[in-house]
Structures are given as structure tokens and as C-alpha cells.
Amino acid sequence: MSNVNYDIIIIGAGTAGMTAAIYGVRSGKSVLLIEEKIYGGQIINTPEVANYPGIESISGTSFATNLYNQVKSLGAEYINAKVSGIKDCGNRKEVITNDNRYVSHAVIIATGSKNRTLGIPKEKELIGKGVSYCATCDGMFFKNRDVAVVGGGNTALEDALFLSNYCHKVYLIHRRNAFRGERHLEEGLKEKDNVEFVLDSIIESINGEKQLESIRVKNTAQNLYSEIPVSGLFIAVGQAPDTQIFSNVVELDEYGYIMAGEDCTTSCEGIFAAGDCRTKTVRQLTTAASDGAIASLGACSYVDTNNK
Ligand code: NAP
């Protein structure tokens, strides 16, 4: 039987997970933060954050780096590893990774969500060859070229605005005739000469062998097809949670989000869920940070109560 190594293990170093680490360490707990890829989560894909209270404007990458530096300077332990599951042994939880097993009293799951795909042929094949899920990361490769963005939420609208600053032409393709994203973003796009809205439209196919060359689009209202030559296609059709590996220990809803209320407690005592991976109506940077604080203070209280 392994000894308990940490008071709290946090899975996922996005805004929720890193905020949880700050609150855990500052409450005097030993904290291990495990991240599969790079710290920061979704926010590193956002060119500009301008809706976080107290910060007028900051790039997503700078925001994440500041948060990470804060976590490290406070003394939280941070490792890169892929978690494959959690074993619940009462007030002792085992977090299993590809090459190790870590034991704590409480666990906070803050694994966020990942990009949804269109699920059409060649989408996967042409990733890195014209197809991208991150305008901030890949946009500059398409300077002075024609590109398309698909989606109608804030991400798609922000991506289109961002790309319009240096791409020759940006087609914004949305399956309905009204956007879901914020009105001021839509208004900003309407003022751009190089942005064209392609509404009531879906992408039927992606064409090109070694490199993306064009997309075939169907206007569903008029039942018309068109071929749009583009070098880049930015897919921004929302996210889905990455939680299936936890389904043996916590309850998930029909979409895969971890069932947890505003107190971030889950169906398993001692396991908390914070940020975009849990059931909630508003998924924002502010609510991720809020969840991180709430989950962490809940975990601290659980550790204090159950391990005297
Ligand atoms: P989202 O709000 O869920 O929007 C996804 C969009 O993709 C919707 O317009 C949806 O169409 C469309 N879509 C979904 N599946 C599709 C498919 N298979 N084919 C074509 N279109 C499809 O996702 P998001 O824009 O990534 O935003 C996620 C959350 O983060 C939101 O709460 C958003 O407000 C927030 N966010 C905030 C900021 C900010 O505050 N600065 C920035 C980015 C994101 P329908 O509209 O028809 O459903």
C-alpha cells in the first residue's frame, strides 16, 4: 500500500487547476499539479484577454505564464505526465499516470475541454497542412493568404478578427444565419473589408492532397454548393470535455461533463471538479478561476476533516 504523498493532487494546469494550486499551497497544503501538455489550457489560444477583472488587456499566453510563475514561486510541485485514471480508496486517492502512481487525500480534476472536430474526410490528414484549431498559434503562417474560419461562437468570431489583421481574405462560415458569439465582435467583423460571412452554410468537404487547397461549402437554405479556394481552415466549433477516464469514480452528464455544482463537489467524496470540465452554464476565465478557488478550499477542508 503506497503512502500518501500529497494532501491534494490537481489534474490539469489550466486557469482552474493553477488557481486551485495557489489556494492549496497558500492554505498550507502539499500540492502536486499534473499536466499532460503545456500549462495554460485553452487560454493560450486567445490572442487578447480583455474581460478579466483588474487586467485591462493581456495576451492569453502571458496570462498563463504569469499564473504558472505564481504557482511555482509559491512552491507547488508541477510535473508533466498523462493521467490514465484515479483509484478511490476512501480518504486516500491514487492518481495513475503512464509511468507512476501518486497518492493524495483529495483530488481536483481540472482537465478542461478539448476542440470539437467537424468529423469530415481529410480534416485529420490536413492538420498542420492548412487545417488548424488555433488561429493564434498558426495564423501567421497564412499572412496575405485567403483563409476560412468555421463556427459561430466567440472563438470563431475572435479568430476571424485576429486573422483579418494580416490575411488577405477571411471567410467566416457558420451553419446558421445568426452568430452565438458576442455582438461587439460581430460588429467589429462587419467593419472589416476583407471579411465575408458565409451563413446558413456547412463545409461538405476539404480538398487538397499535400496541402489544403479549397473547401466545398453547401448553403443549406438555398441548397447551393460552392468551392472556396483557401490555404487555411480554422475550425472553431466549440469544445468537449476530456473526462472519460474518470467515469469509474465520478458521475458524468450526457455530454461527458463531470456532475458538480457550484461547490465543485462530485459524486465521489474527496474528488472535486473545477473549470470547463464540470457541469455549468458559463465557461469563462473568471469562472474557471473561481472554481479553482472553491474546489481547492473544499479540498483543504476535506483534508483537514478526514485526516486528523
Ligand atoms: P461555442 O460557444 O460552443 O460555439 C461553437 C460554435 O460552433 C457554435 O456557433 C456552433 O453552432 C458551431 N458548431 C458546433 N458544432 C458544429 C459543427 N459540427 N459544424 C459546424 N458548426 C458547429 O464554442 P466557443 O466559441 O469555442 O466558445 C466556448 C466558450 O468559451 C463559450 O462560452 C464562449 O463564450 C467562451 N469564450 C469566451 C471568450 C472571451 O470571453 N473572450 C473567447 C472565446 C470563447 P450553433 O451556434 O449553431 O450551435
Side-chain angles (χ1 to χ4, degrees):
M1 209 183 193
S2 326
N3 291 323
V4 173
N5 316 118
Y6 301 93
D7 291 318
I8 304 168
I9 292 177
I10 300 163
I11 307 169
T15 301
M18 291 201 279
T19 306
I22 291 169
Y23 275 77
V25 177
R26 284 176 57 91
S27 302
K29 301 292 182 254
S30 56
V31 171
L32 172 66
L33 183 55
I34 306 178
E35 167 59 48
E36 181 186 351
K37 298 181 185 123
I38 185 174
Y39 62 78
Q42 294 272 346
I43 200 62
I44 57 170
N45 298 330
T46 300
E48 188 191 14
V49 178
N51 57 5
Y52 196 87
I55 301 176
E56 235 171 63
S57 171
I58 189 169
S59 75
T61 313
S62 299
F63 181 87
T65 305
N66 290 348
L67 204 45
Y68 174 76
N69 290 339
Q70 194 176 358
V71 166
K72 289 295 285 176
S73 69
L74 284 168
E77 204 174 311
Y78 176 90
I79 59 164
N80 275 116
K82 184 174 169 58
V83 170
S84 56
I86 302 173
K87 193 170 166 200
D88 174 32
C89 314
N91 68 355
R92 190 176 142 279
K93 319 279 182 216
E94 291 184 11
V95 176
I96 300 141
T97 67
N98 38 345
D99 58 359
N100 217 330
R101 133 183 334 245
Y102 300 88
V103 185
S104 62
H105 293 302
V107 172
I108 298 171
I109 303 171
T111 47
S113 51
K114 63 181 177 196
N115 296 316
R116 272 196 219 123
T117 63
L118 294 176
I120 54 177
K122 293 205 176 174
E123 180 179 0
K124 271 192 187 157
E125 273 169 72
L126 291 177
I127 291 174
K129 297 167 186 160
V131 172
S132 169
Y133 298 85
C134 178
T136 321
C137 321
D138 302 330
M140 275 312 272
F141 298 129
F142 300 92
K143 194 172 177 188
N144 299 325
R145 316 278 284 275
D146 290 355
V147 298
V149 175
V150 58
N154 275 337
T155 304
L157 301 189
E158 281 188 350
D159 283 0
L161 263 180
F162 179 69
L163 293 164
S164 71
N165 292 329
Y166 50 82
C167 289
H168 176 254
K169 171 105 189 195
V170 180
Y171 297 92
L172 178 55
I173 300 163
H174 182 36
R175 64 185 178 185
R176 293 187 296 120
N177 66 0
F179 293 112
R180 178 186 290 275
E182 288 171 30
R183 182 60 58 90
H184 77 97
L185 293 171
E186 183 180 341
E187 295 305 324
L189 284 166
K190 281 181 183 161
E191 284 168 18
K192 297 274 187 167
D193 292 336
N194 63 341
V195 174
E196 183 176 329
F197 293 169
V198 184
L199 301 177
D200 285 321
S201 296
I202 55 169
I203 299 179
E204 283 249 318
S205 66
I206 300 176
N207 310 313
E209 289 310 316
K210 292 185 179 151
Q211 206 67 35
L212 173 69
E213 287 165 11
S214 67
I215 49 177
R216 185 171 154 83
V217 173
K218 179 183 180 184
N219 181 308
T220 51
Q222 296 167 350
N223 207 21
L224 287 175
Y225 291 85
S226 59
E227 182 107 358
I228 305 179
V230 284
S231 315
L233 172 63
F234 292 88
I235 299 171
V237 295
Q239 284 91 38
D242 211 356
T243 52
Q244 281 309 317
I245 54 167
F246 307 118
S247 60
N248 63 320
V249 281
V250 291
E251 271 177 40
L252 308 181
D253 77 358
E254 58 185 311
Y255 304 106
Y257 291 98
I258 298 171
M259 302 274 281
E262 292 303 310
D263 62 2
C264 297
T265 58
T266 67
S267 56
C268 178
E269 240 198 316
I271 299 183
F272 299 78
D276 286 6
C277 66
R278 81 165 175 92
T279 47
K280 53 160 60 189
T281 48
V282 181
R283 292 190 172 84
Q284 289 284 305
L285 206 53
T286 44
T287 59
S290 163
D291 271 15
I294 293 168
S296 195
L297 294 176
C300 291
S301 157
Y302 173 83
V303 172
D304 291 340
T305 313
N306 291 278
N307 297 289
K308 279 180 184 151

mmCIF file of all heavy atoms in Angstrom, residues 42 46 48-51 116-118 150-158 173-176 178-182 185 201-202 236-239 276 281-285, ligand 1:
data_model
loop_
_atom_site.group_PDB
_atom_site.id
_atom_site.type_symbol
_atom_site.label_atom_id
_atom_site.label_comp_id
_atom_site.label_asym_id
_atom_site.label_seq_id
_atom_site.Cartn_x
_atom_site.Cartn_y
_atom_site.Cartn_z
ATOM 1 N N GLN A 42 -6.888 26.266 -22.393
ATOM 2 C CA GLN A 42 -7.498 26.931 -23.556
ATOM 3 C C GLN A 42 -7.035 28.372 -23.741
ATOM 4 O O GLN A 42 -6.965 28.867 -24.856
ATOM 5 C CB GLN A 42 -9.022 26.961 -23.391
ATOM 6 C CG GLN A 42 -9.671 25.608 -23.421
ATOM 7 C CD GLN A 42 -10.009 25.178 -24.826
ATOM 8 O OE1 GLN A 42 -9.989 25.979 -25.749
ATOM 9 N NE2 GLN A 42 -10.309 23.908 -24.985
ATOM 10 N N THR A 46 -5.961 32.245 -26.939
ATOM 11 C CA THR A 46 -6.674 33.520 -27.078
ATOM 12 C C THR A 46 -5.666 34.664 -27.236
ATOM 13 O O THR A 46 -4.814 34.856 -26.375
ATOM 14 C CB THR A 46 -7.558 33.768 -25.826
ATOM 15 O OG1 THR A 46 -8.478 32.688 -25.732
ATOM 16 C CG2 THR A 46 -8.321 35.062 -25.913
ATOM 17 N N GLU A 48 -6.051 37.914 -27.119
ATOM 18 C CA GLU A 48 -6.175 39.004 -26.140
ATOM 19 C C GLU A 48 -7.268 38.689 -25.135
ATOM 20 O O GLU A 48 -8.390 38.360 -25.512
ATOM 21 C CB GLU A 48 -6.510 40.327 -26.857
ATOM 22 C CG GLU A 48 -6.459 41.495 -25.900
ATOM 23 C CD GLU A 48 -7.038 42.783 -26.486
ATOM 24 O OE1 GLU A 48 -7.706 42.714 -27.524
ATOM 25 O OE2 GLU A 48 -6.823 43.837 -25.857
ATOM 26 N N VAL A 49 -6.926 38.791 -23.867
ATOM 27 C CA VAL A 49 -7.926 38.658 -22.797
ATOM 28 C C VAL A 49 -8.221 40.078 -22.328
ATOM 29 O O VAL A 49 -7.322 40.793 -21.888
ATOM 30 C CB VAL A 49 -7.371 37.829 -21.616
ATOM 31 C CG1 VAL A 49 -8.397 37.730 -20.491
ATOM 32 C CG2 VAL A 49 -6.943 36.443 -22.087
ATOM 33 N N ALA A 50 -9.480 40.481 -22.470
ATOM 34 C CA ALA A 50 -9.824 41.855 -22.079
ATOM 35 C C ALA A 50 -11.054 41.865 -21.176
ATOM 36 O O ALA A 50 -11.696 42.889 -21.004
ATOM 37 C CB ALA A 50 -10.061 42.708 -23.319
ATOM 38 N N ASN A 51 -11.369 40.687 -20.613
ATOM 39 C CA ASN A 51 -12.562 40.640 -19.758
ATOM 40 C C ASN A 51 -12.267 40.024 -18.395
ATOM 41 O O ASN A 51 -13.151 39.512 -17.729
ATOM 42 C CB ASN A 51 -13.692 39.872 -20.466
ATOM 43 C CG ASN A 51 -13.275 38.467 -20.862
ATOM 44 O OD1 ASN A 51 -12.169 38.030 -20.535
ATOM 45 N ND2 ASN A 51 -14.143 37.762 -21.558
ATOM 46 N N ARG A 116 -13.658 20.488 -30.483
ATOM 47 C CA ARG A 116 -14.519 19.598 -31.276
ATOM 48 C C ARG A 116 -14.030 19.612 -32.714
ATOM 49 O O ARG A 116 -13.475 20.605 -33.186
ATOM 50 C CB ARG A 116 -15.961 20.113 -31.268
ATOM 51 C CG ARG A 116 -16.754 19.599 -30.105
ATOM 52 C CD ARG A 116 -18.241 19.828 -30.399
ATOM 53 N NE ARG A 116 -18.909 20.231 -29.200
ATOM 54 C CZ ARG A 116 -19.600 21.349 -29.034
ATOM 55 N NH1 ARG A 116 -19.759 22.193 -30.031
ATOM 56 N NH2 ARG A 116 -20.164 21.622 -27.899
ATOM 57 N N THR A 117 -14.281 18.521 -33.414
ATOM 58 C CA THR A 117 -13.871 18.456 -34.826
ATOM 59 C C THR A 117 -15.122 18.481 -35.712
ATOM 60 O O THR A 117 -16.235 18.268 -35.228
ATOM 61 C CB THR A 117 -13.081 17.159 -35.102
ATOM 62 O OG1 THR A 117 -13.947 16.049 -34.854
ATOM 63 C CG2 THR A 117 -11.852 17.050 -34.204
ATOM 64 N N LEU A 118 -14.912 18.700 -37.007
ATOM 65 C CA LEU A 118 -16.053 18.657 -37.938
ATOM 66 C C LEU A 118 -16.393 17.219 -38.286
ATOM 67 O O LEU A 118 -17.513 16.910 -38.673
ATOM 68 C CB LEU A 118 -15.722 19.430 -39.221
ATOM 69 C CG LEU A 118 -15.529 20.943 -39.090
ATOM 70 C CD1 LEU A 118 -15.125 21.533 -40.431
ATOM 71 C CD2 LEU A 118 -16.798 21.614 -38.579
ATOM 72 N N VAL A 150 -14.487 28.393 -39.372
ATOM 73 C CA VAL A 150 -15.820 27.809 -39.249
ATOM 74 C C VAL A 150 -16.256 27.812 -37.794
ATOM 75 O O VAL A 150 -15.481 27.480 -36.899
ATOM 76 C CB VAL A 150 -15.898 26.391 -39.893
ATOM 77 C CG1 VAL A 150 -14.903 25.431 -39.291
ATOM 78 C CG2 VAL A 150 -17.316 25.814 -39.770
ATOM 79 N N GLY A 151 -17.517 28.249 -37.560
ATOM 80 C CA GLY A 151 -18.063 28.333 -36.212
ATOM 81 C C GLY A 151 -18.779 29.648 -36.029
ATOM 82 O O GLY A 151 -18.579 30.586 -36.818
ATOM 83 N N GLY A 152 -19.610 29.737 -34.998
ATOM 84 C CA GLY A 152 -20.379 30.971 -34.794
ATOM 85 C C GLY A 152 -20.314 31.482 -33.366
ATOM 86 O O GLY A 152 -21.044 32.391 -32.989
ATOM 87 N N GLY A 153 -19.421 30.905 -32.560
ATOM 88 C CA GLY A 153 -19.284 31.340 -31.160
ATOM 89 C C GLY A 153 -18.188 32.387 -31.022
ATOM 90 O O GLY A 153 -17.621 32.863 -32.005
ATOM 91 N N ASN A 154 -17.880 32.738 -29.780
ATOM 92 C CA ASN A 154 -16.859 33.766 -29.523
ATOM 93 C C ASN A 154 -15.507 33.395 -30.110
ATOM 94 O O ASN A 154 -14.791 34.251 -30.622
ATOM 95 C CB ASN A 154 -16.704 33.983 -28.006
ATOM 96 C CG ASN A 154 -17.726 34.972 -27.491
ATOM 97 O OD1 ASN A 154 -18.241 35.786 -28.235
ATOM 98 N ND2 ASN A 154 -18.030 34.887 -26.219
ATOM 99 N N THR A 155 -15.151 32.120 -30.022
ATOM 100 C CA THR A 155 -13.835 31.712 -30.519
ATOM 101 C C THR A 155 -13.731 31.978 -32.011
ATOM 102 O O THR A 155 -12.750 32.555 -32.490
ATOM 103 C CB THR A 155 -13.583 30.217 -30.221
ATOM 104 O OG1 THR A 155 -13.730 30.004 -28.825
ATOM 105 C CG2 THR A 155 -12.206 29.777 -30.662
ATOM 106 N N ALA A 156 -14.757 31.571 -32.768
ATOM 107 C CA ALA A 156 -14.739 31.760 -34.225
ATOM 108 C C ALA A 156 -14.687 33.250 -34.567
ATOM 109 O O ALA A 156 -13.920 33.671 -35.445
ATOM 110 C CB ALA A 156 -15.965 31.114 -34.853
ATOM 111 N N LEU A 157 -15.478 34.048 -33.869
ATOM 112 C CA LEU A 157 -15.509 35.483 -34.172
ATOM 113 C C LEU A 157 -14.164 36.138 -33.831
ATOM 114 O O LEU A 157 -13.631 36.952 -34.605
ATOM 115 C CB LEU A 157 -16.641 36.176 -33.402
ATOM 116 C CG LEU A 157 -18.071 35.671 -33.662
ATOM 117 C CD1 LEU A 157 -19.094 36.584 -32.997
ATOM 118 C CD2 LEU A 157 -18.382 35.600 -35.148
ATOM 119 N N GLU A 158 -13.609 35.746 -32.694
ATOM 120 C CA GLU A 158 -12.295 36.295 -32.313
ATOM 121 C C GLU A 158 -11.219 35.854 -33.300
ATOM 122 O O GLU A 158 -10.348 36.641 -33.673
ATOM 123 C CB GLU A 158 -11.904 35.817 -30.918
ATOM 124 C CG GLU A 158 -12.593 36.575 -29.804
ATOM 125 C CD GLU A 158 -12.040 36.206 -28.433
ATOM 126 O OE1 GLU A 158 -11.254 35.236 -28.315
ATOM 127 O OE2 GLU A 158 -12.406 36.874 -27.483
ATOM 128 N N ILE A 173 -17.547 31.000 -41.871
ATOM 129 C CA ILE A 173 -18.605 30.066 -42.274
ATOM 130 C C ILE A 173 -19.368 29.587 -41.040
ATOM 131 O O ILE A 173 -18.764 29.079 -40.088
ATOM 132 C CB ILE A 173 -17.975 28.862 -43.017
ATOM 133 C CG1 ILE A 173 -17.243 29.379 -44.264
ATOM 134 C CG2 ILE A 173 -19.021 27.814 -43.378
ATOM 135 C CD1 ILE A 173 -16.263 28.390 -44.845
ATOM 136 N N HIS A 174 -20.684 29.775 -41.049
ATOM 137 C CA HIS A 174 -21.489 29.369 -39.885
ATOM 138 C C HIS A 174 -22.734 28.632 -40.372
ATOM 139 O O HIS A 174 -23.335 29.018 -41.363
ATOM 140 C CB HIS A 174 -21.851 30.604 -39.066
ATOM 141 C CG HIS A 174 -22.638 30.288 -37.841
ATOM 142 N ND1 HIS A 174 -22.424 29.151 -37.087
ATOM 143 C CD2 HIS A 174 -23.654 30.956 -37.229
ATOM 144 C CE1 HIS A 174 -23.267 29.139 -36.067
ATOM 145 N NE2 HIS A 174 -24.030 30.219 -36.140
ATOM 146 N N ARG A 175 -23.111 27.610 -39.625
ATOM 147 C CA ARG A 175 -24.217 26.762 -40.087
ATOM 148 C C ARG A 175 -25.600 27.401 -39.945
ATOM 149 O O ARG A 175 -26.563 26.926 -40.523
ATOM 150 C CB ARG A 175 -24.171 25.426 -39.361
ATOM 151 C CG ARG A 175 -24.389 25.492 -37.857
ATOM 152 C CD ARG A 175 -24.207 24.118 -37.245
ATOM 153 N NE ARG A 175 -24.362 24.149 -35.797
ATOM 154 C CZ ARG A 175 -24.163 23.105 -35.028
ATOM 155 N NH1 ARG A 175 -23.800 21.952 -35.545
ATOM 156 N NH2 ARG A 175 -24.335 23.194 -33.718
ATOM 157 N N ARG A 176 -25.696 28.455 -39.136
ATOM 158 C CA ARG A 176 -26.978 29.157 -39.009
ATOM 159 C C ARG A 176 -26.836 30.572 -39.564
ATOM 160 O O ARG A 176 -25.755 30.953 -40.005
ATOM 161 C CB ARG A 176 -27.391 29.232 -37.536
ATOM 162 C CG ARG A 176 -27.719 27.866 -36.958
ATOM 163 C CD ARG A 176 -28.294 27.965 -35.562
ATOM 164 N NE ARG A 176 -27.371 28.504 -34.592
ATOM 165 C CZ ARG A 176 -27.564 29.601 -33.880
ATOM 166 N NH1 ARG A 176 -28.659 30.328 -34.056
ATOM 167 N NH2 ARG A 176 -26.676 30.012 -32.995
ATOM 168 N N ALA A 178 -27.417 33.290 -37.694
ATOM 169 C CA ALA A 178 -27.141 34.216 -36.581
ATOM 170 C C ALA A 178 -26.001 33.646 -35.756
ATOM 171 O O ALA A 178 -25.941 32.430 -35.522
ATOM 172 C CB ALA A 178 -28.385 34.373 -35.722
ATOM 173 N N PHE A 179 -25.118 34.555 -35.330
ATOM 174 C CA PHE A 179 -23.983 34.087 -34.536
ATOM 175 C C PHE A 179 -24.380 33.922 -33.071
ATOM 176 O O PHE A 179 -25.254 34.618 -32.579
ATOM 177 C CB PHE A 179 -22.813 35.086 -34.641
ATOM 178 C CG PHE A 179 -22.217 35.159 -36.012
ATOM 179 C CD1 PHE A 179 -22.345 36.305 -36.786
ATOM 180 C CD2 PHE A 179 -21.535 34.071 -36.525
ATOM 181 C CE1 PHE A 179 -21.791 36.362 -38.047
ATOM 182 C CE2 PHE A 179 -20.978 34.121 -37.798
ATOM 183 C CZ PHE A 179 -21.119 35.273 -38.562
ATOM 184 N N ARG A 180 -23.674 33.023 -32.416
ATOM 185 C CA ARG A 180 -23.859 32.796 -30.991
ATOM 186 C C ARG A 180 -22.937 33.727 -30.181
ATOM 187 O O ARG A 180 -23.220 34.045 -29.036
ATOM 188 C CB ARG A 180 -23.472 31.326 -30.728
ATOM 189 C CG ARG A 180 -23.523 30.835 -29.348
ATOM 190 C CD ARG A 180 -22.957 29.427 -29.332
ATOM 191 N NE ARG A 180 -23.832 28.464 -29.992
ATOM 192 C CZ ARG A 180 -24.837 27.868 -29.386
ATOM 193 N NH1 ARG A 180 -25.078 28.099 -28.126
ATOM 194 N NH2 ARG A 180 -25.589 27.004 -30.034
ATOM 195 N N GLY A 181 -21.864 34.167 -30.822
ATOM 196 C CA GLY A 181 -20.852 34.981 -30.131
ATOM 197 C C GLY A 181 -21.338 36.401 -29.854
ATOM 198 O O GLY A 181 -22.416 36.810 -30.291
ATOM 199 N N GLU A 182 -20.518 37.145 -29.128
ATOM 200 C CA GLU A 182 -20.908 38.480 -28.671
ATOM 201 C C GLU A 182 -21.075 39.470 -29.826
ATOM 202 O O GLU A 182 -20.317 39.438 -30.791
ATOM 203 C CB GLU A 182 -19.868 39.014 -27.672
ATOM 204 C CG GLU A 182 -19.933 38.296 -26.337
ATOM 205 C CD GLU A 182 -18.781 38.651 -25.405
ATOM 206 O OE1 GLU A 182 -18.266 39.767 -25.480
ATOM 207 O OE2 GLU A 182 -18.407 37.771 -24.610
ATOM 208 N N LEU A 185 -18.226 41.700 -31.239
ATOM 209 C CA LEU A 185 -17.257 41.027 -32.112
ATOM 210 C C LEU A 185 -17.805 40.982 -33.538
ATOM 211 O O LEU A 185 -17.103 41.243 -34.515
ATOM 212 C CB LEU A 185 -16.977 39.603 -31.616
ATOM 213 C CG LEU A 185 -16.245 39.465 -30.270
ATOM 214 C CD1 LEU A 185 -16.242 38.018 -29.793
ATOM 215 C CD2 LEU A 185 -14.803 39.964 -30.405
ATOM 216 N N SER A 201 -24.472 27.828 -43.796
ATOM 217 C CA SER A 201 -23.596 27.009 -44.648
ATOM 218 C C SER A 201 -22.770 26.015 -43.846
ATOM 219 O O SER A 201 -22.310 26.321 -42.733
ATOM 220 C CB SER A 201 -22.643 27.912 -45.436
ATOM 221 O OG SER A 201 -23.383 28.730 -46.317
ATOM 222 N N ILE A 202 -22.577 24.848 -44.432
ATOM 223 C CA ILE A 202 -21.730 23.838 -43.800
ATOM 224 C C ILE A 202 -20.613 23.429 -44.768
ATOM 225 O O ILE A 202 -20.784 23.534 -45.986
ATOM 226 C CB ILE A 202 -22.542 22.586 -43.374
ATOM 227 C CG1 ILE A 202 -23.304 22.011 -44.570
ATOM 228 C CG2 ILE A 202 -23.493 22.897 -42.234
ATOM 229 C CD1 ILE A 202 -23.908 20.651 -44.296
ATOM 230 N N ALA A 236 -13.364 26.228 -35.382
ATOM 231 C CA ALA A 236 -13.653 26.779 -34.048
ATOM 232 C C ALA A 236 -15.108 26.466 -33.703
ATOM 233 O O ALA A 236 -15.951 27.362 -33.592
ATOM 234 C CB ALA A 236 -13.396 28.283 -34.056
ATOM 235 N N VAL A 237 -15.396 25.173 -33.577
ATOM 236 C CA VAL A 237 -16.789 24.755 -33.369
ATOM 237 C C VAL A 237 -17.045 24.269 -31.937
ATOM 238 O O VAL A 237 -17.927 23.467 -31.687
ATOM 239 C CB VAL A 237 -17.219 23.686 -34.406
ATOM 240 C CG1 VAL A 237 -17.209 24.261 -35.801
ATOM 241 C CG2 VAL A 237 -16.348 22.438 -34.328
ATOM 242 N N GLY A 238 -16.284 24.806 -31.008
ATOM 243 C CA GLY A 238 -16.546 24.510 -29.606
ATOM 244 C C GLY A 238 -15.654 23.420 -29.041
ATOM 245 O O GLY A 238 -14.748 22.922 -29.709
ATOM 246 N N GLN A 239 -15.944 23.103 -27.803
ATOM 247 C CA GLN A 239 -15.113 22.126 -27.092
ATOM 248 C C GLN A 239 -15.941 20.979 -26.523
ATOM 249 O O GLN A 239 -17.147 21.082 -26.407
ATOM 250 C CB GLN A 239 -14.396 22.805 -25.923
ATOM 251 C CG GLN A 239 -13.227 23.673 -26.322
ATOM 252 C CD GLN A 239 -13.623 25.088 -26.571
ATOM 253 O OE1 GLN A 239 -14.470 25.615 -25.871
ATOM 254 N NE2 GLN A 239 -13.040 25.715 -27.562
ATOM 255 N N ASP A 276 -13.868 24.168 -16.863
ATOM 256 C CA ASP A 276 -14.702 23.788 -18.014
ATOM 257 C C ASP A 276 -15.114 22.324 -18.034
ATOM 258 O O ASP A 276 -16.020 21.954 -18.783
ATOM 259 C CB ASP A 276 -13.958 24.098 -19.321
ATOM 260 C CG ASP A 276 -13.930 25.582 -19.628
ATOM 261 O OD1 ASP A 276 -14.386 26.372 -18.776
ATOM 262 O OD2 ASP A 276 -13.456 25.952 -20.712
ATOM 263 N N THR A 281 -23.060 26.585 -16.573
ATOM 264 C CA THR A 281 -23.629 27.299 -17.712
ATOM 265 C C THR A 281 -22.652 28.303 -18.312
ATOM 266 O O THR A 281 -22.685 28.560 -19.512
ATOM 267 C CB THR A 281 -24.924 28.045 -17.310
ATOM 268 O OG1 THR A 281 -24.660 28.760 -16.116
ATOM 269 C CG2 THR A 281 -26.076 27.084 -17.097
ATOM 270 N N VAL A 282 -21.783 28.867 -17.492
ATOM 271 C CA VAL A 282 -20.857 29.878 -18.011
ATOM 272 C C VAL A 282 -19.429 29.360 -17.917
ATOM 273 O O VAL A 282 -18.927 29.107 -16.820
ATOM 274 C CB VAL A 282 -20.997 31.209 -17.228
ATOM 275 C CG1 VAL A 282 -20.050 32.260 -17.793
ATOM 276 C CG2 VAL A 282 -22.429 31.709 -17.276
ATOM 277 N N ARG A 283 -18.790 29.190 -19.067
ATOM 278 C CA ARG A 283 -17.391 28.733 -19.087
ATOM 279 C C ARG A 283 -16.511 29.885 -19.535
ATOM 280 O O ARG A 283 -16.417 30.179 -20.720
ATOM 281 C CB ARG A 283 -17.242 27.513 -20.005
ATOM 282 C CG ARG A 283 -17.949 26.293 -19.457
ATOM 283 C CD ARG A 283 -17.637 24.995 -20.189
ATOM 284 N NE ARG A 283 -18.220 23.870 -19.484
ATOM 285 C CZ ARG A 283 -19.475 23.446 -19.612
ATOM 286 N NH1 ARG A 283 -20.268 24.040 -20.474
ATOM 287 N NH2 ARG A 283 -19.932 22.447 -18.894
ATOM 288 N N GLN A 284 -15.942 30.554 -18.582
ATOM 289 C CA GLN A 284 -15.124 31.732 -18.821
ATOM 290 C C GLN A 284 -13.871 31.639 -17.969
ATOM 291 O O GLN A 284 -13.791 30.829 -17.038
ATOM 292 C CB GLN A 284 -15.908 32.988 -18.420
ATOM 293 C CG GLN A 284 -17.064 33.322 -19.355
ATOM 294 C CD GLN A 284 -16.603 33.931 -20.649
ATOM 295 O OE1 GLN A 284 -15.909 34.921 -20.662
ATOM 296 N NE2 GLN A 284 -16.997 33.329 -21.757
ATOM 297 N N LEU A 285 -12.925 32.537 -18.265
ATOM 298 C CA LEU A 285 -11.696 32.592 -17.476
ATOM 299 C C LEU A 285 -12.026 32.891 -16.009
ATOM 300 O O LEU A 285 -11.474 32.276 -15.087
ATOM 301 C CB LEU A 285 -10.839 33.727 -18.055
ATOM 302 C CG LEU A 285 -9.346 33.659 -17.872
ATOM 303 C CD1 LEU A 285 -8.801 32.344 -18.352
ATOM 304 C CD2 LEU A 285 -8.710 34.804 -18.641
HETATM 305 P P1 NAP B 1 -19.355 27.672 -28.608
HETATM 306 O O1 NAP B 1 -19.782 28.927 -27.960
HETATM 307 O O2 NAP B 1 -19.867 26.358 -28.098
HETATM 308 O O3 NAP B 1 -19.694 27.793 -30.167
HETATM 309 C C1 NAP B 1 -19.467 26.751 -31.048
HETATM 310 C C2 NAP B 1 -19.957 27.187 -32.408
HETATM 311 O O4 NAP B 1 -19.653 26.175 -33.345
HETATM 312 C C3 NAP B 1 -21.462 27.416 -32.447
HETATM 313 O O5 NAP B 1 -21.741 28.564 -33.192
HETATM 314 C C4 NAP B 1 -21.984 26.154 -33.125
HETATM 315 O O6 NAP B 1 -23.102 26.387 -33.936
HETATM 316 C C5 NAP B 1 -20.836 25.774 -34.040
HETATM 317 N N1 NAP B 1 -20.752 24.335 -34.260
HETATM 318 C C6 NAP B 1 -20.750 23.338 -33.320
HETATM 319 N N2 NAP B 1 -20.592 22.130 -33.927
HETATM 320 C C7 NAP B 1 -20.508 22.380 -35.255
HETATM 321 C C8 NAP B 1 -20.328 21.550 -36.396
HETATM 322 N N3 NAP B 1 -20.216 20.223 -36.293
HETATM 323 N N4 NAP B 1 -20.280 22.138 -37.608
HETATM 324 C C9 NAP B 1 -20.384 23.486 -37.727
HETATM 325 N N5 NAP B 1 -20.547 24.330 -36.693
HETATM 326 C C10 NAP B 1 -20.604 23.778 -35.463
HETATM 327 O O7 NAP B 1 -17.736 27.495 -28.586
HETATM 328 P P2 NAP B 1 -16.586 28.579 -28.496
HETATM 329 O O8 NAP B 1 -16.806 29.677 -29.447
HETATM 330 O O9 NAP B 1 -15.321 27.833 -28.595
HETATM 331 O O10 NAP B 1 -16.712 29.139 -27.022
HETATM 332 C C11 NAP B 1 -16.693 28.248 -25.891
HETATM 333 C C12 NAP B 1 -16.947 29.048 -24.622
HETATM 334 O O11 NAP B 1 -15.824 29.907 -24.357
HETATM 335 C C13 NAP B 1 -18.159 29.963 -24.750
HETATM 336 O O12 NAP B 1 -18.807 30.035 -23.501
HETATM 337 C C14 NAP B 1 -17.546 31.282 -25.113
HETATM 338 O O13 NAP B 1 -18.342 32.403 -24.755
HETATM 339 C C15 NAP B 1 -16.259 31.254 -24.313
HETATM 340 N N6 NAP B 1 -15.229 32.110 -24.947
HETATM 341 C C16 NAP B 1 -15.073 33.344 -24.420
HETATM 342 C C17 NAP B 1 -14.128 34.196 -24.957
HETATM 343 C C18 NAP B 1 -13.980 35.549 -24.359
HETATM 344 O O14 NAP B 1 -14.744 35.857 -23.445
HETATM 345 N N7 NAP B 1 -13.037 36.360 -24.805
HETATM 346 C C19 NAP B 1 -13.357 33.791 -26.046
HETATM 347 C C20 NAP B 1 -13.546 32.525 -26.593
HETATM 348 C C21 NAP B 1 -14.508 31.691 -26.018
HETATM 349 P P3 NAP B 1 -24.543 26.770 -33.304
HETATM 350 O O15 NAP B 1 -24.435 28.204 -32.889
HETATM 351 O O16 NAP B 1 -25.477 26.524 -34.431
HETATM 352 O O17 NAP B 1 -24.742 25.820 -32.161
#
